Amino acid sequence: VLKTLAPELGLLLAEEMARHEIEVHAGVEIDALEQAGEGFRAHGDGFEAEADMVLVATGARPTVELAREAGCELGEAGAIGVNTRMETNLPDVFAAGDCVETWHNLLRKNCYLPLGTTAHKQGRVAGENAVGGDAEFAGSLGTQAVKVFGLVAARTGLKDDEARKEGLDPLTVHFECDDHKAYYPGATRMHVRLTGERSTGRLLGAQIVGAADAEVSKRVDVFAAAIHHGMRVAELSDLDLSYTPPLSSPWDPVQMAAQAWLRTARSL
Ligand SMILES: Cc1cc2nc3c(=O)[nH]c(=O)nc-3n(C[C@H](O)[C@H](O)[C@H](O)COP(=O)(O)OP(=O)(O)OC[C@H]3O[C@@H](n4cnc5c(N)ncnc54)[C@H](O)[C@@H]3O)c2cc1C
């Protein structure tokens, strides 16, 4: 479930879905879908299920026919190639949003990251430059959040496997703590997976799963701001983050996870 997260965190979401009476069948390829009475029957791989409604979610692909026919160059990911000014290779033609390739700040290359946050920033840059301005898109980290029943999952930057694929040498540490002081009612468990570069201590990525009211997304945003500014994991403890017992601890989970990462890194 949610392959954009580490499997350990995806499992937490699968368990949450099971708690809400959803049967999860992962890794099953559906090869036929047929009408069955008022609903549908799906088959595949020894699997069969009936449903009132079928929602097919197979990922996002850019729509580029118009641009291609007009002579726009496409990038490796198949989306329209643009520079940081959101200019295509055609004079006076700008492009932004789900149809373009997006500069990834950590990968230092273009990739396909169709997100509303990115589309808004790119659209503003394209619009400003189209009327003679001088704006640049500052790049993305793929920061995103999603709510699944009572949980929120959020991530920014790179996961361990993604960093490794790019030739980096990551260390990932899974840290679990209460979202706020346990003596104050309502504390819930928060899972933070922090990825940093072994050799430099540079922060590369973070993923969090926690209760929907546990400020998961804003905590991932702290990591996103830190990565954007090239911070090292060790520097997270220096940040002056807010604290009050119903919401956090004197060391916020962001900082406790950073300290756990450092302990692991030093013990290796
Ligand atoms: C279900 C869902 C949930 C999402 N949730 C999030 C989220 O939580 N956070 C997040 O950051 N992102 C989210 N996204 C992604 C986000 O919606 C997109 O990245 C964003 O909308 C892209 O903006 P855009 O302007 O490039 O394209 P769009 O918003 O798709 O706008 C393109 C517009 O062009 C119009 N159009 C298409 N063809 C033509 C034509 N030939 N002539 C005229 N008009 C045309 C379309 O009707 C549409 O209005 C979600 C996407 C989906 C599908």
Side-chain angles (χ1 to χ4, degrees), residues 117-263:
T117 45
T118 307
H120 272 259
K121 292 186 191 79
Q122 293 176 334
R124 184 172 288 196
V125 169
E128 202 169 320
N129 290 338
V131 293
D134 189 20
E136 282 198 70
F137 174 61
S140 169
L141 294 169
T143 309
Q144 53 196 273
V146 64
K147 180 172 176 287
V148 180
F149 295 110
L151 294 181
V152 166
R155 67 165 286 185
T156 186
L158 304 178
K159 290 192 295 165
D160 198 273
D161 56 331
E162 293 163 344
R164 226 169 271 285
K165 211 168 125 199
E166 292 304 316
L168 297 165
D169 184 20
L171 168 69
T172 296
V173 170
H174 188 119
F175 179 74
E176 210 188 309
C177 64
D178 288 325
D179 72 308
H180 66 253
K181 276 291 180 197
Y183 62 72
Y184 195 94
T188 50
R189 296 306 276 171
M190 179 168 268
H191 299 256
V192 185
R193 273 181 89 83
L194 206 61
T195 301
E197 192 171 37
R198 281 173 203 261
S199 56
T200 62
R202 181 170 62 124
L203 180 61
L204 293 176
Q207 303 159 65
I208 309 181
V209 170
D213 61 358
E215 306 203 337
V216 168
S217 66
K218 287 302 136 194
R219 282 171 166 136
V220 148
D221 290 344
V222 173
F223 287 122
I227 298 172
H228 184 83
H229 290 287
M231 284 175 69
R232 288 177 299 115
V233 177
E235 291 173 297
L236 287 166
S237 290
D238 298 334
L239 294 176
D240 183 21
L241 303 181
S242 62
Y243 162 57
T244 184
L247 296 178
S248 183
S249 295
W251 292 116
D252 188 82
V254 164
Q255 295 169 314
M256 287 192 266
Q259 290 160 10
W261 188 91
L262 286 170
R263 279 195 298 278

Side-chain angles (χ1 to χ4, degrees), residues 96-98 114-117 119:
D98 279 5
L115 288 167
T117 45

Side-chain angles (χ1 to χ4, degrees), residues 26-104:
V28 177
E29 199 166 314
I30 300 297
D31 41 46
L33 197 58
E34 63 193 29
Q35 195 94 40
E38 299 275 289
F40 301 91
R41 189 177 296 115
H43 307 266
D45 214 4
F47 171 85
E48 195 172 307
E50 288 200 0
D52 298 328
M53 186 172 81
V54 175
L55 178 68
V56 181
T58 53
R61 269 202 311 264
T63 303
V64 291
E65 285 73 29
L66 178 68
R68 187 172 29 213
E69 282 166 24
C72 273
E73 281 170 11
L74 305 185
E76 266 179 47
I80 301 171
V82 285
N83 59 19
T84 52
R85 290 173 48 81
M86 308 314 295
E87 290 168 322
T88 66
N89 61 305
L90 302 178
D92 300 327
V93 177
F94 297 80
D98 279 5
C99 61
V100 305
E101 293 210 327
T102 291
W103 179 256
H104 196 292

Side-chain angles (χ1 to χ4, degrees), residues 1-2 5 10 12-20 22 145-153 209-212:
V1 174
L2 213 65
L5 296 178
L12 298 173
L13 300 180
E15 287 167 1
E16 177 70 354
M17 291 166 83
R19 277 191 288 275
H20 289 82
I22 291 180
V146 64
K147 180 172 176 287
V148 180
F149 295 110
L151 294 181
V152 166
V209 170

